[in-house]
Amino acid sequence: MAKKRVHEIAKERGIPSKEVIARLQAAGFDVKAAASSVDERDIAVAFSGGTRERAAAPQATAAPPAQPAARSEEAPAPGSDGDGQSPPGEPASNGGPAGQRASRPGRSGRLGEQAPGGRRRRVVIDSQASRPRGTSPPPPQRPPRGRGRRRRTPWVEPDLTQDANAVVEEAPPSQVNSGATVREVAESLGLPAPEVIKKLMQLGEMATLTQTLTDEAIGVLAEELDKKVEIVHAADEVEAEPAVVDPQDALAERPPVVTIMGHVDHGKTSLLDAIRETEVAASEAGGITQHIGAYQVHHDDSTITFLDTPGHQAFTAMRARGAQVTDIAVIVVAADDGVMPQTREAIDHARAAEVPMMIAVNKIDKEGADPNRVRGELAQQGLSPADWGGDTEFVDVSARTGDGLGDLLETVVTLSDLQELRANSDAEASGTVIESRLDPGRGPVVSLLIQRGTLRVGDALVSGAHWGRVRAMHDFRGQRVERVAPGEPVEILGFDGVPEAGETVRAVENERRARQLAGERATRLKTEAIARRQGVRVSLEDVFARAQRGEARELNLVVKADVAGSLEALLDEIARLPQDQVAVNAIHDAVGGINESDVMLASASDAVVVGFNVRPVGDVARVADREGVEIRTYTVIYQAIEELRQAMEGLLEPEQVERTVGQAEVRATFRASRVGTIAGCYVRSGTLRRGIAVRVVRDGTIAYDGRIGSLRRFQEDVREVETGYECGVVIDGFADVKEDDVLEAYETESVERAL
């Protein structure tokens, strides 16, 4: 019989693939994914209400029901009473318990009486039977109390096993905000403020009520007070949003959000470019995507939203952010390269976000491409292909030739149909910041992905420490729009600053409420920053001591980038540089072009301005030349990191390396009145040169370290003597040269140190 895939059956019958899978599983067929193949006969059986057993074999004739022996033995006969006694005239069942009880005449004759009809009636003997109904039983008799004795409470033995197994519930730790003041810490711990100040004084810290404490100080204080605390940071704190349950009639279908993830240079942007037929890969520096781009494509009657994440190792946070807002993750793997480190990282991000994954095996048109090898490597990562009986969809594609793109989109649509993605478009708008940047002409530009509700021009928004009012909205094509539905990306204008990428955005009732919420968040972040600065406080004496020890090697940077995600990635890479010998300080970082304020700050702090995908604005380059400030701009992140590493190595003191030039053996000594002691030497290796540093070694011990003052061969002064020749040597300032001494000539070179 011919076989068909589940999504083909769903398309023929006009029902979702999820319903087809449910019917097949109810009929007993093992179907896992929409790409599973099923025989036509099994399809007919499942949709006709049959089961897998009926399809496998004809229905067997029903056998006569066997009479259960146990129930026939236990159930009383129709004419018997509840005691299992057989009526007179009928034989009792052989071997049954009822028959055994019926054959005992003695006890029933003594305890019962003959009832009408020849049956015996059971009589219950009870001490309470003779008491009239409605009367309570008499109270129990108390034992007689002895005269002259006190009444004692009976001793009960304690249950030791229960106490041993009892679990003592510990009080939950108190939550304290990072950067909290002394008053706030006292309120969180439930202690009076004077007691907290007293304990801080005992620890050597003089603090007032409004002084900010560092996280380490809060931890030490809580330990001294025998309290458990949990430091809550603003970045880890999730804003408490009211749980809204939308009614089913208010939910409507929304486009699926698909994230393209994978290793660098595996063809993610080229694949997306082939899908939407635009040239984006050509405009990216080095062919590497530097920030997240959001686009929409149409396949048949379905709309799909794509997010393109970078594959370079520096953009880990951006890949994780893309996985958190997505519905389906497409892991792109090159058929000629296989599974690489960023491929495994992308898989881990998708698993952590609990996002369904599918694999796109790209570059199948290249020489050496082996899609089966890629399937085997991914099977070791726990992603077994559906063709091999697994539950992960694999699609072979080529971004260059366009092969397999239709199958890729069809699989994405099928997976989205199985998830039944719906959202309420009539609610307050909320979403996530995909990317943000500072445009010189338009101000802060924020890319959003709306996840619930409808965003309109004029709505008041709040995102972290920033707020704004929507002045204009543009879709991914750059066209102006008035409203945005769930599942659609949009670029908006109107924020007062550049919010962090990954922050949640929600609409509030008015600008006043938005300004209030943003102000509270900004105050919280400011107190945390103050607490961090207090933890790294350095005195002037420490600076002088480090300078005297040669440890005051610092490289100050002013970092500017085009978007917040790239700035975050660049700062993370700078923090990973080895800083045990040279400290790298990012004294200022922001989004936007390099302006005059950045140059003046760098001039005052002896810093270097590093720009990523940004250029100096106006006459800033001329100001930088006048102030002697160096501006470095880059378009690829690993080039910036490599040059920073070289700059750090340039700040290191060169290392002095000693190199042996020659060795000579003293065979005789001569004394001259005007010259001193002359050592008659034989050069065993290398070369002896006049004026070179020399070391006198006697019995393995250095006797003197100086320089060769005079070097002669016979009666002539020479510059150098090579191996195998004899010469006379006079060492400046040293006359105690003896036979069998060894002269080691050496020179010191300065070698640049590496990190």
Side-chain angles (χ1 to χ4, degrees):
M1 297 292 289
K3 291 187 176 182
K4 292 185 178 180
R5 293 186 181 269
V6 172
H7 62 84
E8 295 176 353
I9 302 169
K11 184 176 293 186
E12 291 178 357
R13 296 181 176 267
I15 58 177
S17 301
K18 190 173 183 180
E19 184 177 349
V20 176
I21 294 175
R23 289 198 180 187
L24 290 171
Q25 290 178 350
F29 298 103
D30 187 12
V31 179
K32 295 183 178 180
S36 302
S37 300
V38 186
D39 289 335
E40 292 184 354
R41 182 179 61 185
D42 298 342
I43 298 169
V45 171
F47 279 88
S48 62
T51 60
R52 186 175 183 178
E53 289 77 9
R54 295 184 183 179
Q59 183 178 1
T61 57
Q67 297 180 358
R71 291 185 61 87
S72 63
E73 292 179 358
E74 295 176 2
S80 63
D81 60 356
D83 195 26
Q85 304 275 345
S86 300
E90 293 184 8
S93 58
N94 296 331
Q100 294 177 4
R101 289 196 296 269
S103 62
R104 295 181 183 178
R107 183 174 179 84
S108 61
R110 293 194 301 269
L111 299 181
E113 58 182 353
Q114 193 75 18
R119 297 174 59 188
R120 294 184 180 276
R121 185 174 61 189
R122 175 176 295 181
V123 178
V124 180
I125 299 177
D126 192 0
S127 61
Q128 307 292 335
S130 60
R131 183 178 299 108
R133 296 184 178 180
T135 60
S136 61
Q141 296 293 330
R142 190 169 57 186
R145 182 178 177 185
R147 294 180 179 270
R149 294 184 180 180
R150 298 182 61 184
R151 189 174 181 178
R152 296 180 179 179
T153 305
W155 181 79
V156 180
E157 184 178 359
D159 190 0
L160 299 179
T161 59
Q162 183 177 0
D163 295 338
N165 298 330
V167 178
V168 179
E169 295 184 359
E170 297 183 356
S174 303
Q175 291 188 349
V176 180
N177 294 333
S178 177
T181 61
V182 174
R183 179 189 288 110
E184 294 171 350
V185 172
E187 293 176 355
S188 301
L189 298 179
L191 299 174
E195 183 177 350
V196 175
I197 295 177
K198 181 181 178 181
K199 182 60 68 175
L200 287 172
M201 293 175 63
Q202 294 176 359
L203 295 174
E205 181 75 19
M206 300 296 294
T208 60
L209 280 177
T210 58
Q211 182 172 336
T212 302
L213 298 178
T214 63
D215 296 347
E216 292 79 10
I218 294 174
V220 173
L221 178 63
E223 186 177 354
E224 291 292 328
L225 295 172
D226 293 334
K227 299 284 186 179
K228 292 185 178 181
V229 296
E230 179 183 357
I231 306 298
V232 181
H233 296 271
D236 302 332
E237 188 178 15
V238 180
E239 296 183 3
E241 296 185 0
V244 179
V245 179
D246 296 322
Q248 292 295 327
D249 55 354
L251 299 178
E253 292 186 5
R254 65 170 178 84
V257 180
V258 181
T259 299
I260 307 293
M261 308 173 72
H263 190 71
V264 61
D265 200 26
H266 274 200
K268 299 180 299 299
T269 305
S270 300
L271 180 61
L272 186 58
D273 173 60
I275 293 174
R276 62 192 182 94
E277 298 178 355
T278 56
E279 293 295 332
V280 172
S283 63
E284 295 286 359
I288 301 173
T289 307
Q290 304 293 347
H291 52 82
I292 295 177
Y295 318 99
Q296 278 191 326
V297 298
H298 298 276
H299 178 69
D300 294 339
D301 296 334
S302 303
T303 303
I304 306 172
T305 301
F306 280 99
L307 297 182
D308 185 15
T309 62
H312 190 264
Q313 62 179 359
F315 295 92
T316 300
M318 298 177 71
R319 275 193 299 277
R321 187 162 57 246
Q324 292 170 0
V325 300
T326 190
D327 300 317
I328 301 171
V330 178
I331 311 296
V332 179
V333 185
D336 61 336
D337 207 3
V339 178
M340 300 300 287
Q342 271 67 58
T343 308
R344 301 187 185 94
E345 183 184 288
I347 293 173
D348 294 339
H349 286 318
R351 284 176 174 167
E354 299 181 355
V355 176
M357 285 180 285
M358 62 172 293
I359 309 299
V361 183
N362 195 16
K363 301 184 180 181
I364 60 174
D365 57 318
K366 293 188 66 175
E367 295 183 2
D370 190 0
N372 290 327
R373 179 174 66 89
V374 174
R375 284 172 167 80
E377 293 177 354
L378 288 173
Q380 297 177 0
Q381 302 293 327
L383 300 177
S384 182
D387 299 340
W388 295 1
D391 53 359
T392 305
E393 298 292 340
F394 279 68
V395 180
D396 297 338
V397 297
S398 174
R400 178 175 298 178
T401 62
D403 295 338
L405 296 181
D407 296 338
L408 176 65
L409 295 177
E410 183 68 28
T411 307
V412 169
V413 172
T414 303
L415 291 177
S416 63
D417 290 342
L418 292 176
Q419 297 187 51
E420 296 183 356
L421 302 172
R422 297 193 298 172
N424 185 4
S425 59
D426 296 332
E428 294 283 346
S430 62
T432 306
V433 177
I434 301 176
E435 200 51 86
S436 58
R437 67 182 188 276
L438 186 62
D439 190 272
R442 299 187 296 172
V445 180
V446 183
S447 299
L448 303 180
L449 179 65
I450 305 302
Q451 296 171 316
R452 180 177 179 270
T454 301
L455 183 64
R456 297 176 177 83
V457 175
D459 289 350
L461 300 177
V462 60
S463 175
H466 300 279
W467 66 278
R469 189 179 187 88
V470 181
R471 293 191 289 108
M473 296 190 297
H474 300 84
D475 60 5
F476 65 97
R477 301 187 189 91
Q479 299 177 358
R480 195 157 185 164
V481 294
E482 297 294 330
R483 58 187 301 276
V484 181
E488 297 181 2
V490 64
E491 192 176 74
I492 70 170
L493 306 176
F495 269 95
D496 66 331
V498 180
E500 295 289 335
E503 283 278 1
T504 58
V505 179
R506 57 191 180 97
V508 293
E509 51 269 19
N510 49 42
E511 293 184 29
R512 182 178 180 181
R513 177 61 176 167
R515 190 183 295 109
Q516 176 187 356
L517 294 175
E520 294 174 356
R521 182 78 169 182
T523 304
R524 175 77 182 279
L525 295 175
K526 184 178 180 180
T527 55
E528 286 192 12
I530 293 174
R532 286 195 299 268
R533 285 197 296 268
Q534 286 183 351
V536 295
R537 189 167 20 187
V538 180
S539 63
L540 190 60
E541 290 79 5
D542 295 336
V543 175
F544 284 142
R546 291 177 58 187
Q548 292 176 358
R549 294 194 302 265
E551 299 177 359
R553 304 292 176 184
E554 293 183 346
L555 177 61
N556 296 327
L557 300 177
V558 175
V559 185
K560 301 297 289 289
D562 58 340
V563 292
S566 299
L567 178 64
E568 177 186 7
L570 184 59
L571 292 176
D572 290 343
E573 286 298 306
I574 292 173
R576 292 176 186 173
L577 290 172
Q579 303 188 23
D580 51 346
Q581 300 178 11
V582 178
V584 181
N585 300 324
I587 60 176
H588 177 65
D589 58 86
V591 175
I594 302 172
N595 51 37
E596 187 174 349
S597 175
D598 300 328
V599 173
M600 299 308 296
L601 176 61
S603 175
S605 55
D606 294 333
V608 178
V609 180
V610 176
F612 186 75
N613 278 341
V614 293
R615 302 292 300 172
V617 179
D619 295 336
V620 173
R622 189 181 307 169
V623 176
D625 292 339
R626 185 179 69 243
E627 297 292 334
V629 174
E630 184 180 7
I631 298 178
R632 293 290 188 94
T633 57
Y634 306 93
T635 56
V636 179
I637 192 169
Y638 52 77
Q639 292 180 356
I641 298 303
E642 185 63 28
E643 291 198 8
L644 284 177
R645 181 183 291 271
Q646 295 175 1
M648 293 171 65
E649 292 175 352
L651 290 176
L652 295 176
E653 288 290 341
E655 186 178 2
Q656 302 297 323
V657 178
E658 182 181 296
R659 185 173 64 89
T660 302
V661 177
Q663 283 187 346
E665 178 185 355
V666 179
R667 293 186 174 181
T669 58
F670 310 95
R671 298 190 62 87
S673 59
R674 288 183 294 179
V675 178
T677 303
I678 302 172
C681 303
Y682 173 77
V683 181
R684 295 189 302 187
S685 64
T687 304
L688 291 186
R689 292 197 297 267
R690 186 196 310 164
I692 198 171
V694 68
R695 193 179 287 123
V696 181
V697 180
R698 182 176 300 162
D699 297 330
T701 305
I702 299 175
Y704 184 73
D705 195 342
R707 290 186 176 276
I708 296 178
S710 176
L711 183 64
R712 287 193 177 189
R713 178 167 169 75
F714 300 107
Q715 297 298 324
E716 299 178 357
D717 288 336
V718 294
R719 289 182 175 272
E720 62 180 23
V721 179
E722 297 181 351
T723 305
Y725 293 95
E726 295 180 347
C727 61
V729 178
V730 177
I731 302 175
D732 288 341
F734 185 71
D736 189 20
V737 182
K738 298 181 179 180
E739 294 183 4
D740 298 330
D741 286 351
V742 177
L743 304 183
E744 290 184 356
Y746 66 93
E747 60 183 4
T748 304
E749 296 179 349
S750 297
V751 180
E752 293 184 358
R753 298 167 60 186
L755 293 175

